[in-house]
Amino acid sequence: MLGGLMQDDFQLTLHHPLHRMRSVHPHAEVITLADGGIVRASYGEIAARVDRLARALGRLGVKPGDRVGTFAWNNQRHFELYMAVPCVGAVLHTLNIRLFAEQLNYIVNHAKDEVIFVDESLVPLLSQLAGTFEGVRHYVVMGDPANLGDGDLSALPGAVGYEELLAGVDDGPFDYPHVDERQAAALCYTSGTTGNPKGVLYSHRSISLHSTASLMTDALGLSRTDKSLVVVPMFHVNAWGIPHASALAGADLLLPDRFLQAEPLATLIEAERPSIMACVPTIYADLLRYADEHGSDLSSIKNAACGGSAVPRELMRAYEERHGVNVFQAWGMTETSPVATYSRPEETGVHDDAYWDARAKQGKPIPWVEARLIDDNGDEVAWDGESTGELEVRGPWIVAHYYSDESGEDRFDDGWLRTGDIAAIDEQAFVQITDRSKDVIKSGGEWISSVELENEVMAHPDVIEAAVIAKPDEKWAERPLCCVVKREGCSLSAEDLIEHLRPRVARWWLPDEFAFVPEVPKTSVGKFDKKVLRAHLQEGTLQGRVRISA
Ligand code: AMP
């Protein structure tokens, strides 16, 4: 082999974005919505605090490879941990604050977290669980020292205050240890609804490359002129990698802490005028209703990234037509860092049905991500936009093995990740997710896409949420049952919905039954929890059922 003569040993580590924060973009800002109003800090100031934090981690006895947990909202201190922990060679383990107690107990002990940094507002929640954590030696409570009562600290054994910890170490540049780019930097567990959560251990290299991809125009397209409102939690897949990408790009970060309701978000958007926003469809839907009602000005947002579950076409359309906001769909998983596909169809200037059909797909694989579809026989499926198979992906920011868990090895297929999503890919390489493999409905031997059916039901103006599940059927094996949350005070009936669907889907896709429910149950990361709906159906406790007469 004739080796290249480039600086291939330059390590792709988070030291580089930290260096850029300090030296290249010291004036970019992190803006946090706090109890008392907005808190601002420049990247230059934050880099200096990261140095102090790095020193303080040493004082707590954190060594390279140790796992450091966070139990926190989206805020400046959490961001400081995002940088400091990996840069001292340790692993940032972001704990999902919405997991059930047993799952949290499992992941803290499985990861062997040694230190947990917790937001003051979450201390009451965490202190109920702390007794079950086996290896945690220290708790650090993050909050304003003026508000931190003794009670907050004493609830957790050996707890210290974050600001007190930082104040107790020297100021000045920190001498970071050498870190190999393949070293682990961050750990996030999947929020799967069955079995134990599985750990995805991101490396410095995978985060560096994923962040670089976020700067590409065909992906998030983040640049130093952007201000990103990051609503997607920092405890879920590194907030889609936006904090790391912002540090790299020198973009401002706007962090809403725990104020995730439509009203504070709309007020924050009007006051701070972010150019990018990122969150799941349910939050966009809430914000849309609020903005429609109150005439909020969301027009500063040029690029609203949305994913985590299928993004209803009508939601994207309403944002564009009524608020001048482009909602772009992306697809990914905890296992894929998460961004793997991004939907940005060619802009022709005409936003007709064909354009919106393309926008409603999950998009093209972004550079360095490869995709294929595999059928039940293990054969590859053609990219014809019709044929479906399990989506498999590979690339430098896709998981290769779960952390210390062999039970997930069947998810890997000869270097590819089996995603568990069923998809079609069209001739233009646009991926369209039709279902999770465990959610598909097989009626009379043919597949019905629950995702597509939900999309069409949610296009009805009186429908707030729709989740379609399979109902056992003697003749057809399974038939679709559609759970619907309707707009308050409207008189929407099952027959109205059938009439609405008739011109939109094949006749045999029409649901046999609707269930008008007050709310669709959600998982810890805000996805429809169809497992709970199926359990209600099986136990006979599903509310508001209306059968359609044949
Ligand atoms: P998580 O690991 O919790 O982020 O969940 C990943 C799963 O969310 C994927 O396997 C998909 O089933 C689903 N998902 C994420 N983004 C989308 C999307 N844009 N459309 C449909 N499903 C999505």
Side-chain angles (χ1 to χ4, degrees):
M1 179 185 91
L2 178 62
L5 292 174
M6 306 311 284
Q7 296 183 5
D8 294 326
D9 291 332
F10 184 94
Q11 298 294 295
L12 305 181
T13 68
L14 293 182
H15 292 151
H16 179 70
L18 178 59
H19 156 75
R20 289 178 64 83
M21 285 174 59
R22 192 191 315 277
S23 314
V24 182
H25 295 293
H27 302 299
E29 282 186 321
V30 174
I31 304 147
T32 305
L33 184 56
D35 273 322
I38 295 284
V39 175
R40 289 173 193 280
S42 70
Y43 273 9
E45 288 162 346
I46 290 178
R49 282 170 60 84
V50 169
D51 287 350
R52 274 182 179 269
L53 180 55
R55 232 171 241 119
L57 288 167
R59 187 165 282 192
L60 292 176
V62 172
K63 299 178 300 307
D66 285 353
R67 267 75 69 201
V68 175
T70 57
F71 199 72
W73 299 106
N74 292 12
N75 53 43
Q76 183 191 321
R77 294 185 180 99
H78 206 170
F79 178 65
E80 290 166 358
L81 285 154
Y82 259 54
M83 302 310 297
V85 173
C87 285
V88 299
V91 180
L92 182 84
H93 177 198
T94 49
L95 295 162
N96 179 340
I97 62 167
R98 299 206 182 94
L99 287 181
F100 295 123
E102 311 83 71
Q103 288 178 318
L104 269 168
N105 176 20
Y106 173 82
I107 67 175
V108 169
N109 293 335
H110 186 264
K112 298 192 170 62
D113 290 338
E114 304 218 5
V115 182
I116 294 181
F117 285 74
V118 51
D119 270 346
E120 181 195 357
S121 60
L122 294 168
V123 167
L125 187 58
L126 192 72
S127 50
Q128 290 169 25
L129 306 168
T132 64
F133 298 160
E134 289 158 9
V136 180
R137 295 180 286 111
H138 294 287
Y139 290 91
V140 181
V141 178
M142 300 188 281
D144 185 340
N147 298 336
L148 274 188
D150 286 345
D152 292 330
L153 298 183
S154 62
L156 295 166
V160 289
Y162 184 94
E163 296 303 328
E164 186 190 327
L165 191 69
L166 260 56
V169 293
D170 292 342
D171 209 0
F174 180 74
D175 190 14
Y176 287 92
H178 170 80
V179 169
D180 187 287
E181 65 178 24
R182 286 165 196 266
Q183 213 166 306
L187 175 63
C188 183
Y189 281 72
T190 58
S191 48
T193 44
T194 45
N196 280 328
K198 293 192 169 26
V200 178
L201 192 56
Y202 309 101
S203 61
H204 279 260
R205 177 184 155 86
S206 73
I207 294 176
S208 301
L209 291 172
H210 181 266
S211 308
T212 308
S214 300
L215 275 45
M216 295 179 189
T217 322
D218 288 337
L220 182 64
L222 182 86
S223 93
R224 73 187 156 85
T225 56
D226 280 310
K227 181 188 278 188
S228 303
L229 171 57
V230 184
V231 182
V232 55
M234 288 172 77
F235 57 72
H236 184 214
V237 215
N238 302 321
W240 298 351
I242 299 175
H244 296 124
S246 299
L248 186 67
D252 293 338
L253 270 172
L254 182 55
L255 303 175
D257 197 82
R258 62 187 186 283
F259 305 103
L260 305 176
Q261 303 72 24
E263 185 177 350
L265 287 180
T267 311
L268 187 63
I269 291 168
E270 288 188 327
E272 287 293 331
R273 303 198 55 77
S275 53
I276 288 184
M277 176 168 172
C279 63
V280 294
T282 43
I283 294 199
Y284 278 117
D286 283 349
L287 180 64
L288 178 68
R289 275 192 295 280
Y290 181 89
D292 282 348
E293 233 169 78
H294 295 82
S296 314
D297 177 6
L298 308 179
S299 62
S300 65
I301 301 170
K302 298 291 167 240
N303 178 358
C306 188
S309 49
V311 186
R313 189 173 42 227
E314 291 311 313
L315 181 76
M316 293 191 267
R317 227 176 159 143
Y319 263 101
E320 183 174 303
E321 289 169 4
R322 303 211 284 272
H323 297 278
V325 172
N326 290 312
V327 177
F328 291 108
Q329 168 155 219
W331 170 87
M333 315 170 69
T334 306
E335 287 89 335
T336 64
S337 292
V339 185
T341 75
Y342 221 95
S343 187
R344 288 179 180 274
E346 276 57 275
E347 186 50 79
T348 58
V350 183
H351 289 193
D352 53 10
D353 286 346
Y355 171 84
W356 284 108
D357 283 348
R359 279 281 289 274
K361 294 187 179 183
Q362 278 66 20
K364 290 192 187 220
I366 61 173
W368 296 117
V369 173
E370 296 181 5
R372 68 178 186 184
L373 299 174
I374 299 292
D375 69 14
D376 288 345
N377 304 321
D379 296 325
E380 266 199 57
V381 172
W383 291 14
D384 59 12
E386 298 283 333
S387 316
T388 57
E390 181 173 8
L391 178 62
E392 296 192 351
V393 289
R394 67 178 179 190
W397 52 83
I398 313 278
V399 68
H401 298 282
Y402 289 107
Y403 173 60
S404 207
D405 186 341
E406 301 207 332
S407 69
E409 280 303 304
D410 60 342
R411 298 285 301 277
F412 303 101
D413 175 10
D414 196 21
W416 294 76
L417 169 72
R418 300 179 54 198
T419 66
D421 284 337
I422 306 298
I425 303 181
D426 66 21
E427 290 86 352
Q428 274 96 46
F430 271 77
V431 174
Q432 179 174 21
I433 306 286
T434 56
D435 250 312
R436 282 297 287 165
S437 54
K438 53 183 183 291
D439 292 339
V440 289
I441 301 166
K442 203 163 191 187
S443 174
E446 298 288 338
W447 303 111
I448 294 178
S449 161
S450 68
V451 171
E452 212 171 318
L453 205 45
E454 285 158 9
N455 209 339
E456 297 301 351
V457 176
M458 282 195 272
H460 193 289
D462 286 338
V463 172
I464 290 190
E465 289 176 345
V468 174
I469 55 172
K471 182 183 87 158
D473 184 276
E474 264 184 28
K475 183 169 174 195
W476 303 107
E478 289 179 344
R479 292 292 302 149
L481 182 157
C482 181
C483 303
V484 174
V485 180
K486 51 184 182 179
R487 194 169 52 77
E488 224 175 87
C490 76
S491 62
L492 183 72
S493 68
E495 285 72 26
D496 295 338
L497 284 171
I498 291 289
E499 287 319 307
H500 163 80
L501 286 175
R502 239 181 249 290
R504 295 164 176 257
V505 300
R507 202 177 135 73
W508 59 278
W509 279 36
L510 292 174
D512 282 22
E513 196 171 332
F514 288 87
F516 291 96
V517 292
E519 192 191 353
V520 173
K522 312 272 184 332
T523 67
S524 62
V525 288
K527 296 174 207 276
F528 292 164
D529 198 342
K530 296 193 184 179
K531 188 169 61 79
V532 174
L533 290 173
R534 282 193 285 265
H536 286 328
L537 176 68
Q538 203 181 0
E539 289 154 11
T541 51
L542 190 64
Q543 290 173 286
R545 291 173 66 175
V546 181
R547 205 178 287 264
I548 302 293
S549 41

